[in-house]
Amino acid sequence: MNLKNMLKKSNNAIGVFDSGLGGLTVLKNFLQVLPSYSYIYLGDIARLPYGSKSADRIYQYTCQSLDFLFKKNCKLVIVACNSASAQALRKVQQEYLPNNWPDRKVLGVVRPLAEEAALNKYKRVGVLGTKATISSQTYKKEIKKLNKKISVYENSAPLLVPLIEEGWAKKSVCNKILKSYLRPLKQKKVNYLILACTHYPFLLKKIKHLMGSQCQVSDPGKIVANSLKDYLNRHPELKIKQVKNPELKFYLSDQPELFKNLGEKFLGQEMKNLKQIDLEK
Ligand code: DGL
């Protein structure tokens, strides 16, 4: 392929960014709902968990990750990471993009997930997320903006991300910890639960079971994928084209072995194009 065609191809890719494995729960839905687009996935596994970092640190890491994906020619990046969406997205959209990448677009995950909860008229909504996401109260604010009458109950679950990244999602210790994080939300009798961390859908079945039939728990990746589909339909001017042979590339900021092993099982496909990179260079 000549250079011009190569550039054209990567111009088309949609960037997907998360601190680690979690974003794969979003990417998997993109591949199902929007299979004819090319994607570049960036997992900042060297610096995870983002959920226990300060807002300033998360903003810095997010900008570095966006720089990387923009230099790969992505016109549009989905910040799949809730912690980054909650703590950094607004500043990225209002300051970072206009000053550095005025022709690029970045979307987060909070808005579509909050809309799903608020517009379906659930009265008592639970939010389970990282410390960074919950302390920002971004979900609560977004839901209240859409419907003041909804009661929102939030809880952080800081131990889940490391367990999932370690491949411990199915171990009984994970179940025990999960139960204790869900208990306060169950006690509040929430009838809808937002999984406000991309890692938690790895535990979707268990969470549904533990919350019981009175509580609806959706797969956030599916909601984000449908919202991206709608966004792409509304923005033909971005000229992100569907292609016959879409590409799927993975970049990781540290040793990829464990990520690859767990990620391939989860996605049900081989990660052929995978490279280790340094985001701090
Ligand atoms: N999966 C990310 C999120 O959605 C962050 C996990 C972490 O790095 O703490 O919040």
Side-chain angles (χ1 to χ4, degrees):
M1 196 188 299
N2 65 31
L3 186 63
K4 207 169 149 200
N5 278 343
M6 268 166 77
L7 279 176
K8 236 191 207 166
K9 245 188 148 173
S10 56
N11 250 336
N12 247 342
I14 297 171
V16 183
F17 156 59
D18 190 71
S19 60
L21 274 174
L24 297 183
T25 64
V26 177
L27 179 70
K28 190 172 183 173
N29 282 283
F30 287 174
L31 296 172
Q32 278 161 8
V33 175
L34 299 160
S36 310
Y37 290 91
S38 292
Y39 297 96
I40 298 182
Y41 186 92
L42 172 61
D44 189 7
I45 55 175
R47 305 188 290 193
L48 119 165
Y50 276 26
S52 56
K53 307 278 189 307
S54 66
D56 285 349
R57 187 69 65 204
I58 295 173
Y59 176 71
Q60 179 197 352
Y61 291 172
T62 303
C63 293
Q64 285 171 344
S65 302
L66 290 172
D67 279 344
F68 177 84
L69 288 166
F70 291 150
K71 283 179 192 159
K72 293 276 167 217
N73 288 318
C74 295
K75 282 187 248 172
L76 171 68
V77 175
I78 314 303
V79 175
C81 178
N82 284 264
S83 309
S85 293
Q87 291 281 7
L89 187 71
R90 182 183 287 257
K91 199 167 161 194
V92 163
Q93 288 173 331
Q94 291 180 350
E95 292 173 27
Y96 195 71
L97 290 187
N99 291 332
N100 299 282
W101 299 94
D103 60 335
R104 309 300 171 100
K105 297 277 182 258
V106 177
L107 300 175
V109 292
V110 175
R111 182 78 192 178
L113 299 182
E115 273 177 3
E116 179 75 13
L119 304 179
N120 280 307
K121 308 229 174 356
Y122 296 105
K123 299 239 161 55
R124 304 171 72 79
V125 171
V127 183
L128 190 73
T130 65
K131 274 187 187 166
T133 299
I134 299 304
S135 70
S136 74
Q137 298 206 334
T138 309
Y139 274 96
K140 195 178 247 174
K141 288 178 207 153
E142 284 295 328
I143 293 170
K144 292 276 184 193
K145 255 192 243 164
L146 295 160
N147 185 343
K148 272 198 281 256
K149 288 186 189 146
I150 297 175
S151 305
V152 183
Y153 303 96
E154 302 186 287
N155 200 19
S156 62
L159 294 174
L160 296 183
V161 169
L163 286 166
I164 292 163
E165 286 285 332
E166 248 339 280
W168 278 42
K170 294 215 163 85
K171 302 229 178 190
S172 63
V173 60
C174 186
N175 207 24
K176 269 192 196 149
I177 291 171
L178 180 59
K179 257 188 196 165
S180 76
Y181 286 142
L182 292 177
R183 198 171 298 127
L185 298 172
K186 269 194 97 165
Q187 281 167 352
K188 292 290 178 196
K189 298 200 172 13
V190 297
N191 51 12
Y192 185 78
L193 177 63
I194 300 180
L195 300 186
C197 172
T198 51
H199 284 75
Y200 304 165
F202 279 93
L203 307 168
L204 184 62
K205 260 196 200 154
K206 253 187 217 169
I207 294 175
K208 279 187 175 174
H209 174 73
L210 289 170
M211 291 308 289
S213 56
Q214 302 303 311
C215 178
Q216 169 74 24
V217 188
S218 308
D219 180 351
K222 206 175 273 172
I223 297 166
V224 173
N226 286 326
S227 137
L228 175 62
K229 186 175 180 185
D230 180 52
Y231 180 87
L232 291 168
N233 284 337
R234 284 185 289 111
H235 292 278
E237 77 283 0
L238 289 176
K239 295 195 172 73
I240 301 173
K241 297 264 178 330
Q242 309 198 48
V243 288
K244 251 200 189 145
N245 297 307
E247 287 185 332
L248 181 55
K249 290 183 180 164
F250 296 88
Y251 292 93
L252 296 170
S253 59
D254 210 341
Q255 294 170 350
E257 287 74 22
L258 186 55
F259 179 98
K260 187 170 186 290
N261 195 346
L262 297 170
E264 285 184 344
K265 268 190 212 134
F266 178 74
L267 283 183
Q269 69 180 81
E270 209 187 321
M271 292 178 177
K272 289 184 207 134
N273 276 313
L274 187 150
K275 273 196 195 123
Q276 186 177 337
I277 46 113
D278 188 345
L279 285 172
E280 291 181 358
K281 262 190 193 156

